[in-house]
Amino acid sequence: MGPATHYLDIEEPFLMYRGGELPALRIAWETWGTLNPARDNAILLFTGLSPGAHAASSPVDPAPGWWEDMVGPGKPIDTDRFFVICANSLGSCKGSTGPASINPATGKPWRLHFPELAIEDIARATRLVTDHLGIGKLYAVIGPSMGGFTALAWLKQYPGSTARLGLISTACSATPFAISIRSLQREAIVTDRNFHNGDYSEDEWPEVGMRLARKLGMITYRSAGEWQRRFGRKRQDYFPSTLFGMRFDVESYLETHARKFVGQFDPCSYLYLSRAMDLFDACDSDETLKNLFRRCFTGHALVIGVETDILFPLHQQRDLAGALESSGSEVTFEALPSVQGHDAFLVDFERFEQPFRDWLA
Amino acid sequence: MGPATHYLDIEEPFLMYRGGELPALRIAWETWGTLNPARDNAILLFTGLSPGAHAASSPVDPAPGWWEDMVGPGKPIDTDRFFVICANSLGSCKGSTGPASINPATGKPWRLHFPELAIEDIARATRLVTDHLGIGKLYAVIGPSMGGFTALAWLKQYPGSTARLGLISTACSATPFAISIRSLQREAIVTDRNFHNGDYSEDEWPEVGMRLARKLGMITYRSAGEWQRRFGRKRQDYFPSTLFGMRFDVESYLETHARKFVGQFDPCSYLYLSRAMDLFDACDSDETLKNLFRRCFTGHALVIGVETDILFPLHQQRDLAGALESSGSEVTFEALPSVQGHDAFLVDFERFEQPFRDWLA
């Protein structure tokens, strides 16, 4: 949340996809660029698990956003041409309603009393924002990682609502490998001595579990090859020689990232979003992916995958591209040889830039 | 430990590779087959991190061993021809001295007061057994996984001591990816609320940490492709619907394996062996791998790697085979297309059998 954040407050019950309801709802969002009079230059951006609505800096909020190099004037997602919208996901903790928000019935945070979250709920809550802005058909919907799940959940619920679809390092559902990683991350959090079944306090925070979860995340976000080049077996021998403390550079790198993350994300939000990712399946109503696209999307799709991604492996983006193509859409498919794994879309802009420029031209 | 286990007790100080000493030492070991009069048919088998000396069944102990399909009469490592020796690694907890053993100075388990363990110590403690058996040059030394590290540590300390060298799903040192995984496993154990800096008791065991460590291990021992085929997104819907409990088959599989492991392995043993693996580097004295082999080994080497192994990736076995070849040894190198990842040597016998038969013929 920053000076450019807008909030949409809905004072009506929001029925959740898997049952239960929220008595009211707040969604935090930001926009860049200007909506044209025809209202047909809007691009909706869904986020990965942890980022908020602040995708890029702006005159009002100069802090760099999570996709700073991709979104802005003259950038691949060009805000001189497009009106870009990004919302914080429902269930997250960066301005939108989630398990860390106050449950009006109790006056205390929802935590584990929050109803089960589905990716479909995130899409539907974001729809409230585009409705509020008076936007009908979108120029493009773009989702990297978990955001790709949300883009698919959006399409299923709002067929024909976008002319372009950008699916980046994502899939139609999670692999058992990805599920096993997230299952372990959740187990580390819920078994933390401070978790107390969700009743943790500022003073007793499940830090250990969150640190383990983040480190395990980092291991799957990057690639073994990148670390081989970057860290090799370099050690920090100025550390006191301890049996089980940090010593290798790679251990220190993970620790740095984990420390940054621990205070920034609510453990229950993490659990809900993580589980929602596992459970999402674009084909859960026994519809084939090809039929889903035939029913919900006709236009120009951009599908990008990275050869070294172990969390959303390349065969998953091939499947998406194949289904889109056979459903009759125009598809640009890029298999990038980046060494930075799943996180490449957040760091390897040289490779991601041109496909976006060509696709949105 | 079973009815076929032998014990070698050394009542003399054992100086550790990285400093410190053990006042006395016990090594548990088993043998299969018969040592011939020339004493030149002995094969020494080093183990991975967790197995004990019981590599195979025998009339005395019919319980299946950890390499049951590979070791025995008529099997690839044929005990009708060879005298096979396997010892429990120093630092482990299956009969040999380790952090779970009693420290004679205090009458209590060593735990974190055990001196730092090096792979070189495991090799040297095993040498006490072959000396005890009156064995000079070995017919073969074989090491899978961590056992491959031990085989290299053996060679460095006892140049020219074997005619054949079998390096299976192993490397000359760990990758930063493997180090990061093991670092996380150790962190899960030492942060367990019951770990108490090593002073855990039978009643308060660091079960949660050990369970997480084992699950993370399983994730890196197998391959994403195997799980895709085996589990896909199958769920156990007869489980009560819980937000963060098990539901997918892959989660239940991990839980089953973790439960089996928790009571069977001492947490401190795990920590010491795990860290010893990270720190091992066959080339730590700035000797190239090629020179190391030129100095310590001339003979016929078998190097096997598996395409889907993420813990000891195939490029590491290629490096070993390349160095062996350029050092003048005969090398059989096999890159197996098994889907079972690092664990393939423990389960995919169809692929491993023939290379062993040909090499030992």
Side-chain angles (χ1 to χ4, degrees):
Chain A
M1 300 82 90
T5 313
H6 301 278
Y7 297 96
L8 176 68
D9 286 298
I10 304 287
E11 301 294 338
E12 281 170 31
F14 183 88
L15 300 181
M16 303 291 280
Y17 186 77
R18 299 191 198 283
E21 63 173 60
L22 295 171
L25 198 67
R26 160 170 278 201
I27 296 295
W29 48 283
E30 278 193 47
T31 66
W32 299 260
T34 309
L35 187 61
N36 64 16
R39 297 179 173 268
D40 63 2
N41 71 330
I43 291 182
L44 178 59
L45 200 55
F46 288 114
T47 78
L49 189 152
S50 54
H54 190 59
S57 62
S58 64
V60 179
D61 185 352
W66 63 265
W67 230 8
E68 185 67 23
D69 287 294
M70 291 295 282
V71 179
K75 293 186 179 171
I77 300 172
D78 186 354
T79 54
D80 287 338
R81 288 179 59 209
F82 299 112
F83 178 64
V84 178
I85 308 150
C86 184
N88 182 226
S89 300
L90 179 72
S92 179
C93 52
K94 299 188 175 175
S96 294
T97 298
S101 308
I102 298 297
N103 175 355
T106 63
K108 292 195 292 189
W110 282 99
R111 300 283 173 81
L112 293 186
H113 302 287
F114 200 77
E116 186 156 7
L117 179 75
I119 298 291
E120 285 80 357
D121 298 316
I122 301 174
R124 204 155 48 88
T126 308
R127 177 75 168 193
L128 299 172
V129 175
T130 58
D131 282 350
H132 168 79
L133 291 167
I135 294 165
K137 186 152 181 168
L138 288 146
Y139 187 86
V141 169
I142 299 171
S145 190
M146 185 188 89
F149 285 176
T150 319
L152 293 173
W154 170 282
L155 269 192
K156 282 180 73 166
Q157 297 177 95
Y158 313 111
S161 60
T162 183
R164 282 172 178 75
L165 175 64
L167 298 173
I168 313 303
S169 299
T170 191
C172 64
S173 64
T175 63
F177 174 85
I179 292 171
S180 70
I181 292 288
R182 280 192 289 267
S183 176
L184 236 66
Q185 292 174 308
R186 294 190 297 270
E187 187 169 344
I189 295 168
V190 301
T191 56
D192 185 292
R193 74 184 78 185
N194 289 337
F195 185 69
H196 298 308
N197 211 26
D199 290 331
Y200 43 87
S201 66
E202 288 287 339
D203 298 331
E204 292 210 321
W205 197 255
E207 263 190 56
V208 166
M210 287 296 281
R211 207 163 56 223
L212 286 169
R214 182 57 170 180
K215 287 184 179 184
L216 184 50
M218 290 305 299
I219 290 174
T220 57
Y221 296 159
R222 312 302 283 227
S223 84
E226 182 195 2
W227 286 2
Q228 188 70 51
R229 290 190 207 175
R230 199 165 153 187
F231 305 118
R233 292 181 51 80
K234 284 199 291 279
R235 294 198 234 173
Q236 307 184 332
D237 282 330
Y238 50 87
F239 266 92
S241 169
T242 53
L243 275 178
F244 305 115
M246 283 185 301
R247 194 179 286 171
F248 288 93
D249 278 10
V250 68
E251 294 179 282
S252 156
Y253 163 82
L254 290 175
E255 182 65 23
T256 305
H257 275 276
R259 283 190 191 169
K260 265 195 251 171
F261 185 71
V262 163
Q264 283 188 359
F265 214 84
D266 179 70
C268 281
S269 263
Y270 194 85
L271 295 173
Y272 274 79
L273 289 164
S274 163
R275 193 59 174 175
M277 286 183 75
D278 288 356
L279 292 173
F280 178 72
D281 187 347
C283 302
D284 60 1
S285 49
D286 289 330
E287 188 178 26
T288 64
L289 202 53
K290 175 183 161 180
N291 279 349
L292 185 155
F293 285 129
R294 182 172 285 161
R295 182 169 65 78
C296 305
F297 178 72
T298 318
H300 185 181
L302 172 66
V303 180
I304 305 184
V306 169
E307 285 174 3
T308 55
D309 189 340
I310 58 174
L311 205 57
F312 286 85
L314 196 55
H315 66 81
Q316 296 198 298
Q317 293 90 53
R318 279 193 210 287
D319 288 349
L320 289 172
L324 278 159
E325 209 158 68
S326 65
S327 75
S329 275
E330 184 184 353
V331 183
T332 303
F333 174 61
E334 300 274 352
L336 301 180
S338 174
V339 76
Q340 283 158 315
H342 183 63
D343 263 3
F345 73 91
L346 293 171
V347 282
D348 194 2
F349 298 112
E350 271 184 41
R351 286 199 166 83
F352 279 81
E353 198 176 319
Q354 201 55 48
F356 268 89
R357 289 195 188 276
D358 295 344
W359 173 59
L360 295 174
Chain B
M1 300 80 89
T5 312
H6 300 278
Y7 297 96
L8 177 68
D9 286 299
I10 303 287
E11 301 295 338
E12 280 169 32
F14 182 89
L15 300 181
M16 303 291 280
Y17 186 77
R18 299 190 198 282
E21 64 173 61
L22 295 170
L25 200 66
R26 159 171 277 201
I27 297 295
W29 48 282
E30 277 193 49
T31 66
W32 299 260
T34 309
L35 187 61
N36 64 14
R39 296 179 172 269
D40 64 2
N41 71 330
I43 291 181
L44 178 60
L45 201 56
F46 288 114
T47 77
L49 189 150
S50 54
H54 191 58
S57 63
S58 64
V60 179
D61 185 353
W66 62 266
W67 230 8
E68 186 66 23
D69 286 292
M70 291 295 282
V71 179
K75 293 184 179 172
I77 300 172
D78 186 354
T79 54
D80 286 338
R81 287 179 60 207
F82 299 112
F83 178 63
V84 178
I85 309 150
C86 184
N88 182 225
S89 300
L90 180 72
S92 179
C93 53
K94 298 188 174 175
S96 295
T97 298
S101 309
I102 299 297
N103 174 358
T106 63
K108 293 195 289 190
W110 282 99
R111 300 283 173 81
L112 292 187
H113 301 288
F114 200 77
E116 186 156 5
L117 179 76
I119 299 291
E120 286 80 357
D121 298 317
I122 302 174
R124 205 152 49 85
T126 308
R127 177 75 169 192
L128 299 172
V129 175
T130 58
D131 282 350
H132 168 78
L133 291 167
I135 293 165
K137 186 151 182 169
L138 289 146
Y139 186 86
V141 169
I142 299 171
S145 190
M146 185 189 86
F149 285 176
T150 320
L152 292 172
W154 170 281
L155 269 193
K156 282 181 72 168
Q157 295 177 95
Y158 313 111
S161 60
T162 183
R164 281 173 179 74
L165 174 66
L167 298 174
I168 314 303
S169 298
T170 192
C172 65
S173 64
T175 63
F177 174 84
I179 291 171
S180 71
I181 293 288
R182 281 193 288 269
S183 176
L184 236 66
Q185 292 174 309
R186 295 191 297 270
E187 186 168 343
I189 295 168
V190 302
T191 56
D192 185 291
R193 73 184 80 185
N194 289 336
F195 185 69
H196 298 308
N197 211 26
D199 290 331
Y200 43 89
S201 66
E202 288 288 339
D203 298 332
E204 292 210 320
W205 198 254
E207 263 190 56
V208 166
M210 287 296 280
R211 206 161 59 222
L212 286 168
R214 182 58 169 179
K215 287 185 179 183
L216 184 50
M218 290 305 299
I219 290 175
T220 57
Y221 295 158
R222 312 301 283 228
S223 84
E226 181 195 2
W227 286 1
Q228 188 70 51
R229 292 191 207 174
R230 199 165 154 186
F231 305 118
R233 292 181 51 81
K234 284 200 293 277
R235 293 197 234 174
Q236 306 185 333
D237 282 331
Y238 51 87
F239 266 91
S241 170
T242 53
L243 274 180
F244 306 115
M246 283 185 302
R247 192 178 289 171
F248 288 94
D249 278 10
V250 67
E251 293 179 284
S252 157
Y253 163 82
L254 290 177
E255 184 64 22
T256 305
H257 274 276
R259 282 189 192 170
K260 266 195 250 171
F261 185 71
V262 163
Q264 282 187 1
F265 214 86
D266 179 72
C268 282
S269 264
Y270 194 86
L271 295 173
Y272 275 79
L273 289 164
S274 162
R275 193 58 174 174
M277 286 184 75
D278 288 356
L279 292 173
F280 178 73
D281 187 346
C283 303
D284 60 1
S285 49
D286 290 330
E287 191 178 25
T288 65
L289 202 52
K290 175 181 162 183
N291 279 349
L292 184 156
F293 285 128
R294 182 172 284 161
R295 183 168 64 78
C296 304
F297 178 73
T298 318
H300 185 179
L302 173 67
V303 181
I304 305 184
V306 169
E307 285 173 2
T308 55
D309 188 341
I310 57 174
L311 205 56
F312 287 85
L314 196 55
H315 66 81
Q316 296 198 299
Q317 293 90 52
R318 278 193 211 286
D319 288 348
L320 288 172
L324 278 159
E325 210 157 68
S326 65
S327 75
S329 275
E330 185 184 350
V331 184
T332 302
F333 173 63
E334 300 274 353
L336 301 180
S338 174
V339 77
Q340 283 157 316
H342 183 63
D343 263 3
F345 73 91
L346 292 171
V347 282
D348 193 3
F349 298 113
E350 272 184 41
R351 287 200 166 82
F352 277 82
E353 200 178 315
Q354 202 55 46
F356 268 90
R357 289 196 188 276
D358 294 344
W359 174 59
L360 294 174

